[in-house]
Amino acid sequence: MAALHLSLALLILLPSTPEATSSALLGISYGRVGNNLPAATSVPQIVASLGVGRVRLYNADPTTIRAFANTGVELVVGVPDECLATVSTPTGASSWVRSNIALALPATKIAFLTVGNEVLTGVNSSSLSRYLLPAMQCLHDALAQAGLDKQVAVTTAHNLGVLATSYPPSSAYFRKDLLPMLCPILDFHARAGSPFLVNAYPYFAYAEEPTGVELEYALLEPGHAGVADPGTGLHYTNMLAAQVDAVYHAIAAANSAAARAVEVRVSETGWPSAGDANETGATPQNAARYNGNVIRLVAQGKGTPLRPAAPLRVYMFALFNENMKPGPTSERNYGLFKPDGTPAYELSYRLPQDNTTSSSGGSIIGGGGYGSDNGRYYSISAAATATMVSSALFASCC
C-alpha cells in the first residue's frame, strides 16, 4: 500500500509513457485555478503515472504546452472565453494560431482546440455566444492556411444545459432558444470532422435528487440493474452512457444530416471527494468508485447503447484539487491528486498500457451533470474564473 501514497518527488521520477499515443481513449483535464499547484514541468510525469494519453488544457499557456513536448501525450488546448472576440476575425485567429499553436508543433502533439467552454449556457452567454461560431470558423481557416487543419481540429465544449430535456435519452432535444446557434455549429462539426464535446456529470443529478436517482446508477457501478428507455428499448446500466446518448438524440432531432457524421465525446466528467454539508454524495469513497468506473468503462473500448461501435472517449475531471475555484467546497475537490502530488483518495485500477482495448501491461492509479428538466443545470469547469487568474494567462489572445 505504500505505493498508493507516492509523493510528488517520487512521481516525477517515473518515465514517460510512449504508448500513450493519439489512439488513447482516456484523457484527464488539467486545470490550474490554484496558487499551490506543482510546476507545469512536473505534470507530464504525473500524467504518465496514470497511463493517460490525453490531457485537456483550458488555455494556451506556453510553459504548460512546452512541458508536454516529446512526451507522446496528446493535448486539447483551450481558447479561453476572454479570447473569443479576438479570434472571431481572420486576422485575430491567424495571429493566435501562429503565436500559440504553430510554434509548439510538432514537438508537442496538439489534436484539438476547444473554443471557449460552456459558452452558450455560461454567465456571459449573452455577450459571448455571438462570437462562438465565427471564432470556430476563423480558427479552422487559420489552421488550414497554415497547413495544420489535418492534425488540429476545432470544437467547443458544452454544458448539458443545452438540452431542454434529457430523460429518457430518446426524448432529448436542445433548448429551442439555442437552436439558431447549435444547428450551424453542428453543420461546422460535420464539415470539419470534429466531435461535439459535452461536460457530463452524473454527480449533479444525484446531488440534486438523491432519493430519485440511485447512487449505484450515478456511480456507474457494473452490478446495477439499469434503466430501460421506453422509446428505443435500449438498456442503460449507467447514467453517463444515458447522458451521452441523450446528446446524440438531441443532435438527430436538430440536424439529421449532422447526426450521421458527428461523434459525441465527454470533455469533462468527475465526482468530488469533499463538499459542504448539503452536497450529498461528495465523499472520497464515491469519488474513488466513480472515477474507477469511468476508467473501467473507457478501457473496455465499448460505445453507448445507441452507438455501440463508437468507443466512449472521456476526459476525467480533474488532475488536481484547485484551491482558488469559487463556489461550494465540492468545486475545489475534483482532483485525483492533491497539489503536493499525493493521491486525494485510494483508487486502484489496472489500465492497459496503451489505453486501448489491449489487455497487456498496465499502470496503477494509486491511492488515489445535469439537473432536472426545469432548467436548473449545474456547471463545474477548470475554466471557472477566480481572482488568482491574472490577465497574464490570457495574454495570448492578441
Side-chain angles (χ1 to χ4, degrees), residues 16-341:
S16 60
T17 307
E19 296 85 358
T21 65
S22 59
S23 66
L25 301 175
L26 183 66
I28 193 161
S29 298
Y30 171 26
R32 299 189 300 115
V33 187
N35 61 7
N36 58 355
L37 298 177
T41 53
S42 67
V43 171
Q45 318 306 10
I46 299 176
V47 172
S49 76
L50 301 176
V52 170
R54 298 181 176 187
V55 171
R56 182 185 177 191
L57 308 178
Y58 290 84
N59 55 53
D61 175 63
T63 301
T64 304
I65 291 176
R66 282 196 301 269
F68 284 94
N70 305 311
T71 63
V73 173
E74 183 182 274
L75 296 186
V76 173
V77 175
V79 183
D81 291 356
E82 289 80 358
C83 299
L84 291 191
T86 298
V87 300
S88 65
T89 66
T91 300
S94 295
S95 176
W96 196 92
V97 167
R98 185 169 54 252
S99 300
N100 298 286
I101 303 303
L103 293 177
L105 299 171
T108 302
K109 298 178 67 173
I110 300 174
F112 293 98
L113 302 183
T114 50
V115 184
N117 189 63
E118 302 185 348
V119 173
L120 299 183
T121 54
V123 293
N124 296 315
S125 60
S126 60
S127 60
L128 292 179
S129 293
R130 69 181 186 272
Y131 296 119
L132 181 56
L133 181 58
M136 294 171 70
Q137 292 171 325
C138 286
L139 285 166
H140 174 77
D141 292 345
L143 289 165
Q145 291 167 8
L148 302 174
D149 58 313
K150 301 303 181 184
Q151 56 185 302
V152 183
V154 176
T155 183
T156 185
H158 301 280
N159 181 278
L160 273 179
V162 296
L163 300 179
T165 185
S166 58
Y167 181 80
S170 61
S171 70
Y173 61 93
F174 291 121
R175 285 169 38 186
K176 292 183 179 179
D177 61 310
L178 297 181
L179 284 175
M181 290 169 282
L182 282 169
C183 285
I185 287 174
L186 289 170
D187 285 333
F188 170 87
H189 286 309
R191 291 194 307 271
S194 57
F196 187 98
L197 302 184
V198 62
N199 298 338
Y201 287 87
Y203 164 72
F204 293 131
Y206 174 75
E208 179 173 320
E209 196 177 356
T211 59
V213 175
E214 291 189 56
L215 180 60
E216 289 72 19
Y217 185 60
L219 289 176
L220 324 182
E221 290 287 6
H224 189 266
V227 178
D229 185 328
T232 61
L234 296 175
H235 192 74
Y236 290 89
T237 57
N238 69 80
M239 183 177 285
L240 184 63
Q243 291 179 335
V244 171
D245 278 358
V247 176
Y248 273 124
H249 280 290
I251 291 174
N255 190 322
S256 58
R260 293 190 289 270
V262 177
E263 178 188 1
V264 176
R265 299 187 183 183
V266 178
S267 43
E268 288 181 15
T269 193
W271 196 286
S273 60
D276 295 324
N278 63 343
E279 294 188 281
T280 303
T283 68
Q285 295 78 14
N286 286 341
R289 292 167 68 189
Y290 181 82
N291 285 315
N293 285 328
V294 168
I295 297 166
R296 175 185 54 80
L297 281 174
V298 174
Q300 290 172 352
K302 298 179 181 179
T304 63
L306 185 64
R307 297 290 181 93
L312 187 64
R313 298 177 185 267
V314 172
Y315 289 84
M316 294 187 296
F317 190 89
L319 191 57
F320 297 110
N321 287 337
E322 299 169 73
N323 70 336
M324 296 297 289
K325 294 193 68 175
T329 297
S330 62
E331 296 203 15
R332 293 177 288 282
N333 289 278
Y334 273 82
L336 269 64
F337 290 96
K338 299 175 183 178
D340 65 359

